[in-house]
Amino acid sequence: MIPASRNGLLLLGVVFHVIYLVSIFDIYFRSPLVHGMTPHRVNLKAPAKRLVLFVADGLRADKIYMPHNNQTSGNAKEELAPFLLDKLRTEASWGVSHTRMPTESRPGHVAAIAGFYEDVSAVTKGWKMNPVEFDSVFNQSRHTWSFGSPDILPMFAHGASDKARVDTYMYPHEFEDFSGNGDRLDTWVFKRADRFFESAAVVGSELYSAMHSDQIVFFFHLLGIDSNGHGFKPYSEEYLNNIRLVDRGIERLVAQFEAYYGGDAQTAYVFTADHGMTDRGAHGDGHPDNTRTPLIVWGAGVSKPAEAPLGHIASGHDAFSSGWGLDRLERKDVNQADIAPLMAALVGLNFPLNSVGTLPLGYIDAGAEFRANAALVNALQILEQYRVKHDQKMTTEMFFQPYAPMHVLDNMPEHALARIRHLIGSHRYKDAETECLQLIARCLEGLRYFQRYDWLLLRSIVSMGYLGWIAYSLLFIFRSYVLPAPSGPRQQLHAVDSYRSKSARAVGVLGLLVFVLFAAMFYRQHSPAMYYAYAAFPVYFWTETLQQAPLVQQIAASYLRTSIRWRVLAFVLGYIAVLEALVYAFFDRRVYTAAFMLLAVFWPLTVSAKFRRKHSGLLLLWAVFCVLTSVFTLLPVERNDHLGLVIAGGLLIAASGLYAWHRSRAFVLAPPGMSAKHAHSAVAFDRLVILVEVLLVGAATILGPVTSKVTQERGHLPRHYQLACWAILVVSTLLPLLHGSSLNNGARDQHYLYRLVTIYTAFAAPFVLLTVSYESIFYFAYSVVLLLWLTIERALYQERAEDRLFAPTEQTRLSRLPSTQQRSGAVSLGRTLELSDLRTGIMFLFFVNVAFFGTGNVASLASFSIDSVYRLITVFDPFMMSALLLFKIFIPFFLVSAVFGVLSRSLELPPFSLFLFVLSTTDVMTVNFFFLVRDDGSWLDIGMSISHFCISGLFVLFTIVLFVLSHALVGRVLIPDSSTPVATKPLQKQR
């Protein structure tokens, strides 16, 4: 039955939304990883005995291919990697390796080395040592020696079937300090390689013997470029110089390999990157700058460059490579997972069992027979995965439908393999390659088909679950906060049961039967445990909704009795339209600009003429600051550091704080029953708190640019600067929690304006400290708009109350209300919800979304600059850095939650009533985003669609956190009636 308590509904809502959040990964992004395949390798002599893999972490393709304008040489064109580009022109095959989202180090390395795309949740495993759970080129090698970062090497070493097969040489974690030049990381790798060759030169040693075996791999992970990109941006001299250093280091290493092996022409070299980087020094999402990385392959078994005639453009080029000066050389693009089978083929290894890469045959020059057999092995290896997946589904599915194209007579795997082997035996190698590629494409499509096999069923179940939650929670809200309470104590005691239909038992049995049928089907199909939960929620929600048919009838009767049915319908349709507009705003932030302009112009026009005359100055300020705030959602989310704007924002906040301190005598209240002397001291202390917070804002305004300047000058950030920044962040954050919040049981009651001012100035200091551009100005404008919204809503409510002759003052209104009122089985405070409260709810939802997208795209942390965290932490620590960045992003939510907490009490709303209404209806947005989730197309679109759904799906949890936060931050405040001057207003304590 529908929970009789608000807390029961909230708990159910949290559990439901958290479980359903996982549904997109079960539907759209289930791991294709399967086990039980037979390994395959080319049964011909491999063209290379050894493979050398260079991964330049964070290097995007255009930075190495495009000539650079060297400003120190009069903007002369300069190649940043002359050695690699010389190889490209003379003996290499090259192109762009297209990565997938998330563009982070772990998924990128896994794709290139294992040929397998981890799902998007892999980013939560990355950076620290988490062994890969699947096969890789390293695992199939006879031995692998790896050099580089402690964040990357261990996951392959510990994930190998024989851990002694992979050796690692790593620098200390403390080396990864973004405040200094990151090229020292790559210098360490090259110097360590020098010592390695010295050790390997000892004839007869174990290392010497291993180095002269075949099927061996050398892996050099070069993190300096990524570190300098984060620290100084990809257009900086540090980033560009690091590319030069890497090129020189690779040149020396290649010379060492050739000298060590006597130039035996048995070494293959692969140079690539795990991901790119945007100009803001960020990566992670599917931006093209993050997904396009270089690939240069040369050495044994590799095709030489194909050069087009003079005046012609070779194949593979597009607008992206038009300015590189490489137009006459064929560009051979690959997907990142294609690199793994290429490396395996060159060295004669078993293809990684879980690889979904397609062997780029254009890179191989080892004879037509070898190419054709390598293509066949690639097809067999992917066909193995298809067969395992096919057999699993056929065994478990009740109504199994095979992948039809693979069951057409000519396309059946047995017939296709027979044709390929016949073509190879007939020396028709090109035809065999074509057949292999077609079989690979069908197998990959078949794997995709089985990945999507349960889509229709699961999407239908999840959709009904969300719609059921909307209906279920709205019924609770209507029963508890809208409809009049049943008369009589007996009716009130059994209010919930009074709304149940006579056929409730039969409906309950039917619902149970439906769930049993689902459970039986899932059990037969060996479905994951989460599938049972997905089915349980819609069955429960809709069973409860149907059992409450009399309640639905009463809601309909109440609507038909009203004399303004058109207005109710207009409000509801308008509310839905706004929700859909907010969905569109996730894709185009300019919607918020248009909304602010409409609020600035049209909201003042909807109020009464008397209100406009009485509050003309307030409405004018509202219009001005709405227009000012609307500008920020027109500005680009990707922005460079602008310390002038940081200082300007800090000064605006400090000035507004000083103004509030100057006017604070009007709203800083002395404790009741205290002597004049002690009362004066208490008031002085409260005013001093504001002044201290303003001084911290000033300190942050100065310290932020100072630390940025030190970092920009390429120096290590002094320890005392970091300590000062941490002190400001901690002290400013704790002040509002220790002074007046509900966390301090000894705190006395405070005027609501004083409380909001202290919250505003306290969180301003860490926000300014973590700001790199115009965000601090947004903080100022957004905070003023919130305060104006609160003031206008309070004034409108007072006018409405006076017009209804509800009570002459707020004090009287409160005194006439019972402290608690039993309503339909739910304990409520205050009045019932009214139609006008829809406006307040949608305004709250709008301001929450503005906090999400005001200065960036919260669907991607990469749209927020990570530079500011270097003032607090410089050694690479992704979790701490992400935590600091999230803290900055959440600060505007602290403000909106505090303002809404005061507003709810000012409007005498039952606790959580408006929150419940908002979180119940926002799943209209969630359903939109659920069907907009993509698993194809560009990785930018895929990543954004996932983020949008997660944000919307977690909104219920986020709303609850905001409500708890508002009560914790606001604490016990005194809210005066808005109809009388401050000095004479009667005050009512609000908890």
Side-chain angles (χ1 to χ4, degrees), residues 847-865:
F847 281 119
V848 169
N849 277 266
V850 171
F852 269 126
F853 295 99
T855 60
N857 182 356
V858 81
S860 170
L861 283 181
S863 73
F864 295 88
S865 176

Side-chain angles (χ1 to χ4, degrees), residues 778-790:
F778 166 79
Y779 181 89
F780 165 74
Y782 180 72
S783 302
V784 174
V785 167
L786 288 175
L787 182 60
L788 292 172
W789 173 50
L790 168 65

Side-chain angles (χ1 to χ4, degrees), residues 96 138 141 228 491 548 671 701 741 838 916 939:
V96 174
F138 296 172
S141 70
N228 279 327
Q491 287 80 358
Q548 299 288 318
T701 304
S741 76
L838 281 176
L916 284 174
W939 279 93

Side-chain angles (χ1 to χ4, degrees), residues 653-716:
I653 296 170
S656 62
L658 288 175
Y659 176 78
W661 173 78
H662 176 69
R663 298 294 303 272
S664 60
R665 293 186 185 278
F667 54 78
V668 175
L669 307 174
M674 186 175 287
S675 65
K677 180 179 179 180
H678 288 91
H680 178 76
S681 298
V683 170
F685 177 79
D686 283 352
R687 297 187 70 219
L688 180 63
V689 169
I690 298 177
L691 193 58
V692 169
E693 291 175 343
V694 172
L695 291 175
L696 289 172
V697 172
T701 304
I702 297 171
L703 197 56
V706 167
T707 54
S708 292
K709 187 173 179 61
V710 171
T711 305
Q712 289 172 1
E713 291 175 351
R714 292 29 179 175
H716 284 276

Side-chain angles (χ1 to χ4, degrees), residues 525-556:
Q525 297 176 175
H526 303 286
S527 299
M530 293 297 290
Y531 282 30
Y532 296 87
Y534 298 153
F537 281 110
V539 170
Y540 175 76
F541 290 150
W542 286 110
T543 298
E544 285 293 326
T545 299
L546 293 175
Q547 287 178 334
Q548 299 288 318
L551 178 57
V552 177
Q553 294 170 357
Q554 184 173 345
I555 294 170

Side-chain angles (χ1 to χ4, degrees), residues 898-964:
V899 169
F900 192 69
V902 172
L903 180 59
S904 296
R905 304 179 200 188
S906 298
L907 302 184
E908 299 175 349
L909 292 170
F912 233 131
S913 58
L914 208 51
F915 275 101
L916 284 174
F917 176 75
V918 170
L919 67 87
S920 298
T921 54
T922 49
D923 274 337
V924 172
M925 300 172 61
T926 307
V927 173
N928 276 270
F929 290 125
F930 176 73
F931 283 99
L932 290 173
V933 172
R934 301 180 57 181
D935 71 337
D936 56 7
S938 78
W939 279 93
L940 178 61
D941 295 337
I942 293 172
M944 295 298 286
S945 69
I946 297 170
S947 300
H948 291 162
F949 173 77
C950 291
I951 291 170
S952 183
L954 283 175
F955 188 83
V956 59
L957 181 60
F958 193 70
T959 305
I960 296 170
V961 171
L962 284 181
F963 176 78
V964 174

Side-chain angles (χ1 to χ4, degrees), residues 153-203:
L153 307 191
M155 66 184 182
F156 289 102
H158 290 267
S161 56
D162 180 4
K163 294 179 175 55
R165 185 177 296 168
V166 181
D167 289 341
T168 58
Y169 302 91
M170 303 173 290
Y171 42 75
H173 180 71
E174 293 73 22
F175 270 39
E176 299 176 10
D177 187 339
F178 290 138
S179 66
N181 199 317
D183 61 7
R184 65 187 179 281
L185 304 176
D186 299 337
T187 300
W188 186 96
V189 171
F190 294 132
K191 288 184 176 179
R192 187 64 186 82
D194 291 341
R195 298 199 303 274
F196 175 79
F197 274 105
E198 291 174 3
S199 301
V202 180
V203 179

